[in-house]
């Protein structure tokens, strides 16, 4: 069974500081990995995804994530956080092939940005 | 591109009534749409997978007769919460995929349902 663990429920960083959100996954095959961001009362926006190839993936809004198979991790990073980055971040794992799809989401990490 | 519109964004209904939530893919055809439920401060729970022109596939523990899903066209799926009760109050989010391998899910903005 596939699963995702986001060990940090809540993180607070100062604006301009660097950020790393942790994600560990369990998946029986080559994983497809995603990071989504959710603002309060909103749906989810895709930040970035990893399917194959380069293990360092660039996304929108200056985010990047690195896939480390040996550690079963897919941590999200940003070198300099902006106040507008405050939101809930979800890591997800799954497979997307044809009409089949099942994404499993982590429990999320709430990011608070202090000025 | 790949915009998913969900309507309404919030709804309040009385216990025992039914509520319909619409999910539309605005600029692409989505053979498959997905319905998620999100509890406060919790992750998203997949409720069902909706395939155009066929019956939805429900996840274990989700009541089919309670949560009716219809996917009548390539751009529209609906979720009807029948005989709603306060415990059905939640945030419901739909998502859809462009039909090609490895395309990601695109999410609507969700519907906040409150049953009084």
């Amino acid at each position: 069974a596939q699963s995702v663990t986001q060990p940090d429920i809540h993180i607070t960083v100062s604006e301009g500081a660097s950020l790393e959100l942790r994600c560990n996954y369990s998946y029986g095959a080559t994983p497809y990995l995603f990071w989504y961001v959710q603002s309060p009362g909103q749906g989810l926006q895709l930040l970035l995804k990893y399917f194959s190839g380069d293990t360092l993936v660039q996304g929108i809004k200056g985010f990047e994530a690195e896939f480390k198979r040996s550690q079963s991790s897919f941590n999200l990073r940003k070198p300099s956080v902006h106040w507008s980055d405050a939101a809930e971040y979800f890591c997800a794992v799954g497979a997307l092939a044809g009409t089949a799809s099942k994404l499993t989401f982590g429990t999320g990490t709430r990011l608070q940005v202090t000025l | 591109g790949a915009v998913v519109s969900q309507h309404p964004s919030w709804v309040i209904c009385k216990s025992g009534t039914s509520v319909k939530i619409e999910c539309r893919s605005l600029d692409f055809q989505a053979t498959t749409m997905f319905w998620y439920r999100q509890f406060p401060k919790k992750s998203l729970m997949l409720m069902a997978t909706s395939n155009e022109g066929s019956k939805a596939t429900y996840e274990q523990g989700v009541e089919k007769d309670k949560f009716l899903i219809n996917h009548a066209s390539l751009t529209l799926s609906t979720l009807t919460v029948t005989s709603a009760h306060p415990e059905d109050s939640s945030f419901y989010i739909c998502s859809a995929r462009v039909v090609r391998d490895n395309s990601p899910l695109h999410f609507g903005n969700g519907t906040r349902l409150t049953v009084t």
Side-chain angles (χ1 to χ4, degrees):
Chain A
Q2 57 196 52
S3 66
V4 178
T5 301
Q6 292 181 248
D8 304 304
I9 297 173
H10 186 207
I11 283 183
T12 300
V13 298
S14 301
E15 189 175 38
S18 63
L19 170 71
E20 182 169 31
L21 302 182
R22 296 183 291 167
C23 172
N24 293 97
Y25 67 90
S26 173
Y27 193 71
T30 300
Y32 295 102
L33 295 157
F34 307 84
W35 274 99
Y36 285 88
V37 61
Q38 184 182 33
S39 297
Q42 299 292 312
L44 278 71
Q45 181 183 23
L46 178 67
L47 285 176
L48 48 78
K49 59 186 184 291
Y50 171 79
F51 293 143
S52 64
D54 193 345
T55 56
L56 184 62
V57 180
Q58 301 298 319
I60 62 171
K61 303 184 179 185
F63 286 94
E64 66 177 27
E66 186 171 13
F67 170 60
K68 293 185 177 179
R69 184 186 298 275
S70 61
Q71 299 178 20
S72 297
S73 69
F74 188 57
N75 294 347
L76 181 71
R77 301 194 293 250
K78 186 170 184 178
S80 177
V81 170
H82 188 262
W83 64 267
S84 59
D85 294 324
E88 187 91 22
Y89 291 80
F90 292 94
C91 180
V93 66
L96 299 172
T99 57
S101 170
K102 183 159 187 174
L103 285 191
T104 298
F105 286 84
T107 51
T109 297
R110 177 161 297 278
L111 173 65
Q112 184 176 358
V113 180
T114 58
L115 301 177
Chain B
V3 176
V4 176
S5 174
Q6 192 171 336
H7 178 81
S9 56
W10 61 270
V11 57
I12 301 173
C13 71
K14 292 186 177 181
S15 187
T17 62
S18 295
V19 174
K20 180 184 285 187
I21 302 170
E22 292 187 348
C23 179
R24 294 180 184 273
S25 56
L26 296 186
D27 51 1
F28 66 99
Q29 292 185 328
T31 301
T32 307
M33 292 184 174
F34 308 87
W35 288 95
Y36 289 83
R37 181 172 180 176
Q38 186 177 31
F39 294 94
K41 300 184 179 181
K42 295 288 186 182
S43 185
L44 286 79
M45 180 192 77
L46 179 63
M47 299 174 66
T49 302
S50 166
N51 292 303
E52 186 264 338
S54 63
K55 291 184 179 180
T57 302
Y58 290 81
E59 295 299 303
Q60 189 174 9
V62 178
E63 299 176 59
K64 301 178 183 181
D65 296 331
K66 167 68 117 175
F67 299 100
L68 299 179
I69 292 173
N70 182 276
H71 193 161
S73 75
L74 286 173
T75 59
L76 174 64
S77 176
T78 60
L79 168 67
T80 301
V81 183
T82 63
S83 187
H85 288 92
E87 58 265 30
D88 299 325
S89 299
S90 192
F91 194 58
Y92 295 88
I93 309 177
C94 74
S95 66
R97 288 185 63 214
V98 175
V99 184
R100 62 173 183 269
D101 284 354
N102 299 336
S103 61
L105 295 183
H106 297 279
F107 286 82
N109 280 336
T111 297
R112 170 72 59 194
L113 170 62
T114 301
V115 185
T116 61

